[in-house]
Amino acid sequence: FHLCDDRMRFLMGPIGSAKTTAAVMEIYIRAVQQEPAHDGIRYSRWLVIRSTYPELETTTIKSWHEIFGDKFGQMRWGHPPDHNMKFGLPDGTTVHCEVIFMALDGPNVEDALRGMLLTGCWVNEINEVRWPIVRMARSRCGRFPSMKDGGPTWYGLFADTNMPDEDHWLYERAEEEKPEGWSFFKQPGGVIKEGDLWKLNPRAENLENLPESYYLDQIPGNKEDWIKVFLGAEYGFVQDGKPVYTEYNDNVHCVDIDPIPNISIEVGADFGLTPAAVIEQEAP
């Protein structure tokens, strides 16, 4: 992931696999690698995106601050928060790295991105972010530093995520469209299924920084779909909310059925406390 220079990069894996830490360090690495301007300063500006401000503050910024703290400059808790880091390198140059943290969860969030001049962008948990936002954020990369200061040595967008649903735009790009210049890095799952049992995957990453039974402890009490996505690092569908029928299993009951030509589609709905609907065709 760190060695790849593609403009669009995605790190996908289970919880606990240090994806966020890798993304934090990617900004640091690229800031240090930025070629210095004529004044000997390595300028870069980064946008960090999360879907909501509570998640941004309690997860993303907290992870960032745990690594860097105030060693290179204090965080400013404005709206949006930012961190201006300045530190010297052994070659006599100085790194000026500006990091802006934003949550983009409103109806017109693309407007907030227009006019931003960025080196690059990190989207934390990109499976929670709509494609138009990602597209707009990517369009703002490569605009800082200006060409009179040498331009960006590298620019682009990178992201981390748990495995998305199979109908997510990210799945379509990774498995179906495979756009040129897009790279997807899939980490091994924390667990792997052998027969009917989930077992610890010896190929899992970051195990040395986790409790010995971190993954196995999370299997009891969780549904198969959740284990598959968040522990096994497989594409899937995680049910959320209150189901009408608790026995419903997406893997069993949801099947693709071709419509019957020239027969009307009927919808029967119940708008009670647990609204439900059936969509059907009645064959001859």
Side-chain angles (χ1 to χ4, degrees), residues 60-102:
T60 312
I61 294 179
K62 186 175 182 180
S63 297
W64 177 272
H65 200 259
E66 284 178 352
I67 293 176
F68 293 115
D70 296 325
K71 293 189 293 290
F72 304 139
Q74 289 189 335
M75 286 278 302
R76 294 191 303 181
W77 295 94
H79 191 79
D82 64 6
H83 193 188
N84 288 310
M85 300 198 301
K86 298 180 180 180
F87 54 94
L89 297 179
D91 64 358
T93 61
T94 302
V95 174
H96 282 200
C97 175
E98 180 183 358
V99 184
I100 304 166
F101 299 87
M102 292 184 68

mmCIF file of all heavy atoms in Angstrom, residues 60-102:
data_model
loop_
_atom_site.group_PDB
_atom_site.id
_atom_site.type_symbol
_atom_site.label_atom_id
_atom_site.label_comp_id
_atom_site.label_asym_id
_atom_site.label_seq_id
_atom_site.Cartn_x
_atom_site.Cartn_y
_atom_site.Cartn_z
ATOM 1 N N THR A 60 -11.312 8.980 14.256
ATOM 2 C CA THR A 60 -10.274 9.376 13.307
ATOM 3 C C THR A 60 -9.256 10.317 13.939
ATOM 4 O O THR A 60 -8.048 10.061 13.913
ATOM 5 C CB THR A 60 -10.912 10.041 12.078
ATOM 6 O OG1 THR A 60 -11.991 9.233 11.604
ATOM 7 C CG2 THR A 60 -9.880 10.208 10.975
ATOM 8 N N ILE A 61 -9.732 11.437 14.504
ATOM 9 C CA ILE A 61 -8.817 12.408 15.098
ATOM 10 C C ILE A 61 -8.106 11.809 16.305
ATOM 11 O O ILE A 61 -6.914 12.065 16.544
ATOM 12 C CB ILE A 61 -9.570 13.697 15.492
ATOM 13 C CG1 ILE A 61 -10.086 14.402 14.227
ATOM 14 C CG2 ILE A 61 -8.679 14.634 16.297
ATOM 15 C CD1 ILE A 61 -10.866 15.683 14.504
ATOM 16 N N LYS A 62 -8.810 10.975 17.063
ATOM 17 C CA LYS A 62 -8.185 10.343 18.224
ATOM 18 C C LYS A 62 -7.015 9.460 17.784
ATOM 19 O O LYS A 62 -5.947 9.476 18.406
ATOM 20 C CB LYS A 62 -9.215 9.524 18.993
ATOM 21 C CG LYS A 62 -8.687 8.958 20.296
ATOM 22 C CD LYS A 62 -9.781 8.266 21.083
ATOM 23 C CE LYS A 62 -9.253 7.739 22.410
ATOM 24 N NZ LYS A 62 -10.321 7.047 23.194
ATOM 25 N N SER A 63 -7.205 8.699 16.717
ATOM 26 C CA SER A 63 -6.120 7.862 16.206
ATOM 27 C C SER A 63 -4.949 8.712 15.728
ATOM 28 O O SER A 63 -3.781 8.387 15.958
ATOM 29 C CB SER A 63 -6.623 6.981 15.060
ATOM 30 O OG SER A 63 -7.624 6.089 15.506
ATOM 31 N N TRP A 64 -5.273 9.813 15.040
ATOM 32 C CA TRP A 64 -4.231 10.725 14.564
ATOM 33 C C TRP A 64 -3.432 11.299 15.739
ATOM 34 O O TRP A 64 -2.205 11.325 15.732
ATOM 35 C CB TRP A 64 -4.868 11.852 13.754
ATOM 36 C CG TRP A 64 -3.893 12.873 13.276
ATOM 37 C CD1 TRP A 64 -3.471 13.991 13.953
ATOM 38 C CD2 TRP A 64 -3.199 12.878 12.029
ATOM 39 N NE1 TRP A 64 -2.554 14.684 13.201
ATOM 40 C CE2 TRP A 64 -2.373 14.024 12.018
ATOM 41 C CE3 TRP A 64 -3.204 12.033 10.919
ATOM 42 C CZ2 TRP A 64 -1.556 14.343 10.936
ATOM 43 C CZ3 TRP A 64 -2.392 12.352 9.836
ATOM 44 C CH2 TRP A 64 -1.586 13.487 9.857
ATOM 45 N N HIS A 65 -4.149 11.753 16.774
ATOM 46 C CA HIS A 65 -3.498 12.411 17.906
ATOM 47 C C HIS A 65 -2.684 11.427 18.730
ATOM 48 O O HIS A 65 -1.662 11.800 19.330
ATOM 49 C CB HIS A 65 -4.548 13.102 18.775
ATOM 50 C CG HIS A 65 -3.979 14.162 19.667
ATOM 51 N ND1 HIS A 65 -3.735 13.965 21.003
ATOM 52 C CD2 HIS A 65 -3.576 15.435 19.407
ATOM 53 C CE1 HIS A 65 -3.219 15.059 21.540
ATOM 54 N NE2 HIS A 65 -3.114 15.971 20.594
ATOM 55 N N GLU A 66 -3.108 10.169 18.809
ATOM 56 C CA GLU A 66 -2.345 9.165 19.548
ATOM 57 C C GLU A 66 -0.965 8.955 18.934
ATOM 58 O O GLU A 66 -0.008 8.648 19.639
ATOM 59 C CB GLU A 66 -3.118 7.839 19.584
ATOM 60 C CG GLU A 66 -4.284 7.827 20.571
ATOM 61 C CD GLU A 66 -5.043 6.522 20.531
ATOM 62 O OE1 GLU A 66 -4.763 5.687 19.637
ATOM 63 O OE2 GLU A 66 -5.916 6.323 21.393
ATOM 64 N N ILE A 67 -0.863 9.125 17.618
ATOM 65 C CA ILE A 67 0.420 8.908 16.949
ATOM 66 C C ILE A 67 1.295 10.158 17.004
ATOM 67 O O ILE A 67 2.486 10.088 17.324
ATOM 68 C CB ILE A 67 0.190 8.473 15.492
ATOM 69 C CG1 ILE A 67 -0.456 7.081 15.472
ATOM 70 C CG2 ILE A 67 1.488 8.468 14.697
ATOM 71 C CD1 ILE A 67 -0.824 6.588 14.096
ATOM 72 N N PHE A 68 0.718 11.325 16.715
ATOM 73 C CA PHE A 68 1.522 12.533 16.596
ATOM 74 C C PHE A 68 1.453 13.447 17.818
ATOM 75 O O PHE A 68 2.386 14.190 18.083
ATOM 76 C CB PHE A 68 1.099 13.327 15.347
ATOM 77 C CG PHE A 68 1.412 12.616 14.073
ATOM 78 C CD1 PHE A 68 0.398 12.193 13.227
ATOM 79 C CD2 PHE A 68 2.713 12.354 13.714
ATOM 80 C CE1 PHE A 68 0.687 11.532 12.049
ATOM 81 C CE2 PHE A 68 3.018 11.685 12.533
ATOM 82 C CZ PHE A 68 1.998 11.282 11.704
ATOM 83 N N GLY A 69 0.335 13.421 18.550
ATOM 84 C CA GLY A 69 0.205 14.315 19.687
ATOM 85 C C GLY A 69 0.449 15.756 19.274
ATOM 86 O O GLY A 69 0.032 16.202 18.210
ATOM 87 N N ASP A 70 1.158 16.502 20.115
ATOM 88 C CA ASP A 70 1.489 17.895 19.821
ATOM 89 C C ASP A 70 2.981 18.070 19.539
ATOM 90 O O ASP A 70 3.512 19.178 19.625
ATOM 91 C CB ASP A 70 1.077 18.801 20.991
ATOM 92 C CG ASP A 70 -0.428 18.809 21.210
ATOM 93 O OD1 ASP A 70 -1.172 18.720 20.204
ATOM 94 O OD2 ASP A 70 -0.870 18.894 22.371
ATOM 95 N N LYS A 71 3.649 16.975 19.194
ATOM 96 C CA LYS A 71 5.105 17.035 18.988
ATOM 97 C C LYS A 71 5.475 17.997 17.864
ATOM 98 O O LYS A 71 6.492 18.673 17.927
ATOM 99 C CB LYS A 71 5.650 15.637 18.667
ATOM 100 C CG LYS A 71 5.561 14.644 19.803
ATOM 101 C CD LYS A 71 6.302 13.356 19.485
ATOM 102 C CE LYS A 71 5.637 12.580 18.359
ATOM 103 N NZ LYS A 71 4.353 12.009 18.763
ATOM 104 N N PHE A 72 4.664 18.047 16.809
ATOM 105 C CA PHE A 72 4.996 18.851 15.640
ATOM 106 C C PHE A 72 4.089 20.077 15.497
ATOM 107 O O PHE A 72 4.044 20.711 14.456
ATOM 108 C CB PHE A 72 4.894 18.012 14.364
ATOM 109 C CG PHE A 72 5.748 16.776 14.397
ATOM 110 C CD1 PHE A 72 5.259 15.577 13.904
ATOM 111 C CD2 PHE A 72 7.035 16.810 14.904
ATOM 112 C CE1 PHE A 72 6.045 14.434 13.926
ATOM 113 C CE2 PHE A 72 7.823 15.674 14.931
ATOM 114 C CZ PHE A 72 7.332 14.478 14.441
ATOM 115 N N GLY A 73 3.341 20.392 16.547
ATOM 116 C CA GLY A 73 2.399 21.506 16.476
ATOM 117 C C GLY A 73 1.066 21.081 17.056
ATOM 118 O O GLY A 73 0.663 19.918 16.947
ATOM 119 N N GLN A 74 0.356 22.011 17.687
ATOM 120 C CA GLN A 74 -0.887 21.697 18.376
ATOM 121 C C GLN A 74 -2.067 21.613 17.408
ATOM 122 O O GLN A 74 -2.132 22.341 16.418
ATOM 123 C CB GLN A 74 -1.185 22.731 19.451
ATOM 124 C CG GLN A 74 -0.251 22.655 20.655
ATOM 125 C CD GLN A 74 -0.709 23.553 21.785
ATOM 126 O OE1 GLN A 74 -1.409 24.533 21.561
ATOM 127 N NE2 GLN A 74 -0.322 23.215 23.002
ATOM 128 N N MET A 75 -2.990 20.703 17.737
ATOM 129 C CA MET A 75 -4.263 20.637 17.011
ATOM 130 C C MET A 75 -5.066 21.903 17.293
ATOM 131 O O MET A 75 -5.055 22.429 18.397
ATOM 132 C CB MET A 75 -5.069 19.427 17.460
ATOM 133 C CG MET A 75 -4.560 18.095 16.957
ATOM 134 S SD MET A 75 -5.103 17.739 15.277
ATOM 135 C CE MET A 75 -6.875 17.800 15.430
ATOM 136 N N ARG A 76 -5.778 22.390 16.277
ATOM 137 C CA ARG A 76 -6.708 23.499 16.457
ATOM 138 C C ARG A 76 -8.130 22.948 16.323
ATOM 139 O O ARG A 76 -8.494 22.420 15.275
ATOM 140 C CB ARG A 76 -6.452 24.591 15.420
ATOM 141 C CG ARG A 76 -5.103 25.275 15.589
ATOM 142 C CD ARG A 76 -4.991 26.510 14.722
ATOM 143 N NE ARG A 76 -5.219 26.210 13.301
ATOM 144 C CZ ARG A 76 -5.152 27.124 12.333
ATOM 145 N NH1 ARG A 76 -4.896 28.386 12.634
ATOM 146 N NH2 ARG A 76 -5.346 26.771 11.079
ATOM 147 N N TRP A 77 -8.907 23.086 17.398
ATOM 148 C CA TRP A 77 -10.239 22.488 17.420
ATOM 149 C C TRP A 77 -11.274 23.488 16.918
ATOM 150 O O TRP A 77 -12.203 23.858 17.613
ATOM 151 C CB TRP A 77 -10.567 22.007 18.824
ATOM 152 C CG TRP A 77 -9.652 20.903 19.239
ATOM 153 C CD1 TRP A 77 -8.492 21.019 19.948
ATOM 154 C CD2 TRP A 77 -9.792 19.526 18.917
ATOM 155 N NE1 TRP A 77 -7.901 19.780 20.095
ATOM 156 C CE2 TRP A 77 -8.681 18.853 19.475
ATOM 157 C CE3 TRP A 77 -10.743 18.794 18.200
ATOM 158 C CZ2 TRP A 77 -8.498 17.476 19.341
ATOM 159 C CZ3 TRP A 77 -10.564 17.426 18.080
ATOM 160 C CH2 TRP A 77 -9.452 16.785 18.645
ATOM 161 N N GLY A 78 -11.084 23.955 15.702
ATOM 162 C CA GLY A 78 -12.047 24.856 15.091
ATOM 163 C C GLY A 78 -13.088 24.080 14.311
ATOM 164 O O GLY A 78 -13.343 22.901 14.550
ATOM 165 N N HIS A 79 -13.693 24.761 13.374
ATOM 166 C CA HIS A 79 -14.697 24.108 12.533
ATOM 167 C C HIS A 79 -14.347 24.406 11.064
ATOM 168 O O HIS A 79 -14.696 25.459 10.544
ATOM 169 C CB HIS A 79 -16.099 24.627 12.852
ATOM 170 C CG HIS A 79 -17.186 23.811 12.201
ATOM 171 N ND1 HIS A 79 -17.611 22.610 12.713
ATOM 172 C CD2 HIS A 79 -17.917 24.015 11.065
ATOM 173 C CE1 HIS A 79 -18.569 22.132 11.930
ATOM 174 N NE2 HIS A 79 -18.769 22.970 10.929
ATOM 175 N N PRO A 80 -13.589 23.526 10.402
ATOM 176 C CA PRO A 80 -13.207 22.198 10.863
ATOM 177 C C PRO A 80 -11.905 22.207 11.666
ATOM 178 O O PRO A 80 -11.127 23.158 11.573
ATOM 179 C CB PRO A 80 -13.022 21.442 9.547
ATOM 180 C CG PRO A 80 -12.509 22.486 8.603
ATOM 181 C CD PRO A 80 -13.220 23.758 8.980
ATOM 182 N N PRO A 81 -11.641 21.120 12.436
ATOM 183 C CA PRO A 81 -10.355 21.003 13.135
ATOM 184 C C PRO A 81 -9.220 20.859 12.119
ATOM 185 O O PRO A 81 -9.415 20.347 11.019
ATOM 186 C CB PRO A 81 -10.516 19.724 13.959
ATOM 187 C CG PRO A 81 -11.982 19.430 13.977
ATOM 188 C CD PRO A 81 -12.530 19.989 12.704
ATOM 189 N N ASP A 82 -8.023 21.301 12.513
ATOM 190 C CA ASP A 82 -6.867 21.084 11.652
ATOM 191 C C ASP A 82 -5.610 20.950 12.496
ATOM 192 O O ASP A 82 -5.589 21.269 13.681
ATOM 193 C CB ASP A 82 -6.719 22.185 10.603
ATOM 194 C CG ASP A 82 -6.436 23.552 11.202
ATOM 195 O OD1 ASP A 82 -6.235 23.633 12.433
ATOM 196 O OD2 ASP A 82 -6.411 24.538 10.455
ATOM 197 N N HIS A 83 -4.569 20.436 11.864
ATOM 198 C CA HIS A 83 -3.293 20.225 12.539
ATOM 199 C C HIS A 83 -2.196 20.682 11.588
ATOM 200 O O HIS A 83 -2.002 20.084 10.525
ATOM 201 C CB HIS A 83 -3.114 18.738 12.888
ATOM 202 C CG HIS A 83 -1.984 18.484 13.832
ATOM 203 N ND1 HIS A 83 -1.556 17.214 14.155
ATOM 204 C CD2 HIS A 83 -1.185 19.334 14.532
ATOM 205 C CE1 HIS A 83 -0.551 17.296 15.010
ATOM 206 N NE2 HIS A 83 -0.304 18.571 15.256
ATOM 207 N N ASN A 84 -1.511 21.752 11.946
ATOM 208 C CA ASN A 84 -0.396 22.260 11.157
ATOM 209 C C ASN A 84 0.900 21.732 11.766
ATOM 210 O O ASN A 84 1.319 22.193 12.831
ATOM 211 C CB ASN A 84 -0.397 23.790 11.132
ATOM 212 C CG ASN A 84 -1.516 24.338 10.275
ATOM 213 O OD1 ASN A 84 -1.684 23.923 9.137
ATOM 214 N ND2 ASN A 84 -2.299 25.259 10.816
ATOM 215 N N MET A 85 1.515 20.786 11.083
ATOM 216 C CA MET A 85 2.730 20.168 11.595
ATOM 217 C C MET A 85 3.952 20.769 10.907
ATOM 218 O O MET A 85 3.980 20.916 9.682
ATOM 219 C CB MET A 85 2.696 18.651 11.375
ATOM 220 C CG MET A 85 1.536 17.954 12.054
ATOM 221 S SD MET A 85 1.809 16.174 12.224
ATOM 222 C CE MET A 85 2.011 15.683 10.515
ATOM 223 N N LYS A 86 4.962 21.099 11.719
ATOM 224 C CA LYS A 86 6.216 21.620 11.200
ATOM 225 C C LYS A 86 7.361 20.913 11.921
ATOM 226 O O LYS A 86 7.398 20.891 13.155
ATOM 227 C CB LYS A 86 6.311 23.130 11.417
ATOM 228 C CG LYS A 86 5.227 23.934 10.704
ATOM 229 C CD LYS A 86 5.378 25.423 10.958
ATOM 230 C CE LYS A 86 4.280 26.211 10.248
ATOM 231 N NZ LYS A 86 4.414 27.684 10.479
ATOM 232 N N PHE A 87 8.279 20.348 11.137
ATOM 233 C CA PHE A 87 9.437 19.683 11.745
ATOM 234 C C PHE A 87 10.567 19.615 10.721
ATOM 235 O O PHE A 87 10.345 19.595 9.514
ATOM 236 C CB PHE A 87 9.085 18.282 12.248
ATOM 237 C CG PHE A 87 8.457 17.376 11.230
ATOM 238 C CD1 PHE A 87 9.225 16.497 10.478
ATOM 239 C CD2 PHE A 87 7.081 17.394 11.024
ATOM 240 C CE1 PHE A 87 8.647 15.656 9.545
ATOM 241 C CE2 PHE A 87 6.497 16.553 10.086
ATOM 242 C CZ PHE A 87 7.280 15.682 9.348
ATOM 243 N N GLY A 88 11.776 19.607 11.231
ATOM 244 C CA GLY A 88 12.949 19.587 10.381
ATOM 245 C C GLY A 88 13.401 18.177 10.056
ATOM 246 O O GLY A 88 13.106 17.222 10.776
ATOM 247 N N LEU A 89 14.136 18.047 8.940
ATOM 248 C CA LEU A 89 14.714 16.778 8.513
ATOM 249 C C LEU A 89 16.239 16.879 8.538
ATOM 250 O O LEU A 89 16.803 17.986 8.510
ATOM 251 C CB LEU A 89 14.231 16.429 7.103
ATOM 252 C CG LEU A 89 12.723 16.205 6.940
ATOM 253 C CD1 LEU A 89 12.398 15.889 5.488
ATOM 254 C CD2 LEU A 89 12.220 15.104 7.859
ATOM 255 N N PRO A 90 16.925 15.748 8.582
ATOM 256 C CA PRO A 90 18.393 15.772 8.656
ATOM 257 C C PRO A 90 19.066 16.488 7.487
ATOM 258 O O PRO A 90 20.208 16.937 7.616
ATOM 259 C CB PRO A 90 18.767 14.280 8.675
ATOM 260 C CG PRO A 90 17.576 13.599 9.244
ATOM 261 C CD PRO A 90 16.399 14.378 8.739
ATOM 262 N N ASP A 91 18.391 16.597 6.336
ATOM 263 C CA ASP A 91 19.017 17.261 5.186
ATOM 264 C C ASP A 91 18.901 18.778 5.250
ATOM 265 O O ASP A 91 19.301 19.486 4.321
ATOM 266 C CB ASP A 91 18.418 16.745 3.877
ATOM 267 C CG ASP A 91 16.930 17.080 3.738
ATOM 268 O OD1 ASP A 91 16.363 17.685 4.676
ATOM 269 O OD2 ASP A 91 16.345 16.730 2.704
ATOM 270 N N GLY A 92 18.342 19.308 6.332
ATOM 271 C CA GLY A 92 18.232 20.747 6.492
ATOM 272 C C GLY A 92 16.922 21.337 6.001
ATOM 273 O O GLY A 92 16.649 22.528 6.217
ATOM 274 N N THR A 93 16.091 20.544 5.341
ATOM 275 C CA THR A 93 14.795 21.037 4.889
ATOM 276 C C THR A 93 13.773 20.926 6.024
ATOM 277 O O THR A 93 14.002 20.255 7.038
ATOM 278 C CB THR A 93 14.289 20.240 3.675
ATOM 279 O OG1 THR A 93 14.128 18.853 4.045
ATOM 280 C CG2 THR A 93 15.273 20.337 2.514
ATOM 281 N N THR A 94 12.645 21.608 5.833
ATOM 282 C CA THR A 94 11.583 21.614 6.838
ATOM 283 C C THR A 94 10.283 21.148 6.208
ATOM 284 O O THR A 94 9.955 21.533 5.082
ATOM 285 C CB THR A 94 11.383 23.030 7.409
ATOM 286 O OG1 THR A 94 12.624 23.494 7.968
ATOM 287 C CG2 THR A 94 10.317 23.034 8.500
ATOM 288 N N VAL A 95 9.558 20.319 6.937
ATOM 289 C CA VAL A 95 8.248 19.841 6.486
ATOM 290 C C VAL A 95 7.157 20.742 7.051
ATOM 291 O O VAL A 95 7.103 20.969 8.267
ATOM 292 C CB VAL A 95 8.006 18.386 6.924
ATOM 293 C CG1 VAL A 95 6.577 17.946 6.577
ATOM 294 C CG2 VAL A 95 9.018 17.448 6.283
ATOM 295 N N HIS A 96 6.318 21.295 6.181
ATOM 296 C CA HIS A 96 5.105 22.001 6.583
ATOM 297 C C HIS A 96 3.927 21.178 6.071
ATOM 298 O O HIS A 96 3.643 21.168 4.871
ATOM 299 C CB HIS A 96 5.059 23.414 5.990
ATOM 300 C CG HIS A 96 5.922 24.395 6.697
ATOM 301 N ND1 HIS A 96 5.748 25.756 6.597
ATOM 302 C CD2 HIS A 96 6.966 24.220 7.543
ATOM 303 C CE1 HIS A 96 6.661 26.377 7.337
ATOM 304 N NE2 HIS A 96 7.416 25.458 7.914
ATOM 305 N N CYS A 97 3.251 20.507 6.959
ATOM 306 C CA CYS A 97 2.166 19.594 6.583
ATOM 307 C C CYS A 97 0.881 20.056 7.268
ATOM 308 O O CYS A 97 0.766 20.000 8.493
ATOM 309 C CB CYS A 97 2.516 18.165 6.987
ATOM 310 S SG CYS A 97 1.222 16.951 6.707
ATOM 311 N N GLU A 98 -0.078 20.499 6.474
ATOM 312 C CA GLU A 98 -1.364 20.957 6.995
ATOM 313 C C GLU A 98 -2.404 19.862 6.779
ATOM 314 O O GLU A 98 -2.591 19.374 5.659
ATOM 315 C CB GLU A 98 -1.807 22.231 6.286
ATOM 316 C CG GLU A 98 -3.138 22.774 6.775
ATOM 317 C CD GLU A 98 -3.602 23.991 6.006
ATOM 318 O OE1 GLU A 98 -2.863 24.450 5.103
ATOM 319 O OE2 GLU A 98 -4.714 24.476 6.292
ATOM 320 N N VAL A 99 -3.078 19.473 7.851
ATOM 321 C CA VAL A 99 -4.085 18.409 7.786
ATOM 322 C C VAL A 99 -5.415 18.964 8.266
ATOM 323 O O VAL A 99 -5.520 19.458 9.389
ATOM 324 C CB VAL A 99 -3.661 17.191 8.645
ATOM 325 C CG1 VAL A 99 -4.681 16.063 8.493
ATOM 326 C CG2 VAL A 99 -2.270 16.712 8.262
ATOM 327 N N ILE A 100 -6.438 18.898 7.409
ATOM 328 C CA ILE A 100 -7.771 19.420 7.706
ATOM 329 C C ILE A 100 -8.722 18.230 7.889
ATOM 330 O O ILE A 100 -8.746 17.315 7.054
ATOM 331 C CB ILE A 100 -8.276 20.318 6.568
ATOM 332 C CG1 ILE A 100 -7.273 21.452 6.304
ATOM 333 C CG2 ILE A 100 -9.654 20.877 6.882
ATOM 334 C CD1 ILE A 100 -7.525 22.181 4.997
ATOM 335 N N PHE A 101 -9.504 18.244 8.952
ATOM 336 C CA PHE A 101 -10.431 17.155 9.248
ATOM 337 C C PHE A 101 -11.861 17.635 9.015
ATOM 338 O O PHE A 101 -12.290 18.637 9.604
ATOM 339 C CB PHE A 101 -10.271 16.687 10.696
ATOM 340 C CG PHE A 101 -8.896 16.153 11.018
ATOM 341 C CD1 PHE A 101 -7.889 17.002 11.429
ATOM 342 C CD2 PHE A 101 -8.613 14.797 10.907
ATOM 343 C CE1 PHE A 101 -6.622 16.530 11.736
ATOM 344 C CE2 PHE A 101 -7.360 14.310 11.201
ATOM 345 C CZ PHE A 101 -6.359 15.170 11.614
ATOM 346 N N MET A 102 -12.611 16.902 8.181
ATOM 347 C CA MET A 102 -13.980 17.299 7.875
ATOM 348 C C MET A 102 -14.913 16.092 7.884
ATOM 349 O O MET A 102 -14.533 14.995 7.472
ATOM 350 C CB MET A 102 -14.050 17.967 6.492
ATOM 351 C CG MET A 102 -13.359 19.317 6.414
ATOM 352 S SD MET A 102 -13.577 20.080 4.780
ATOM 353 C CE MET A 102 -15.330 20.417 4.801
#
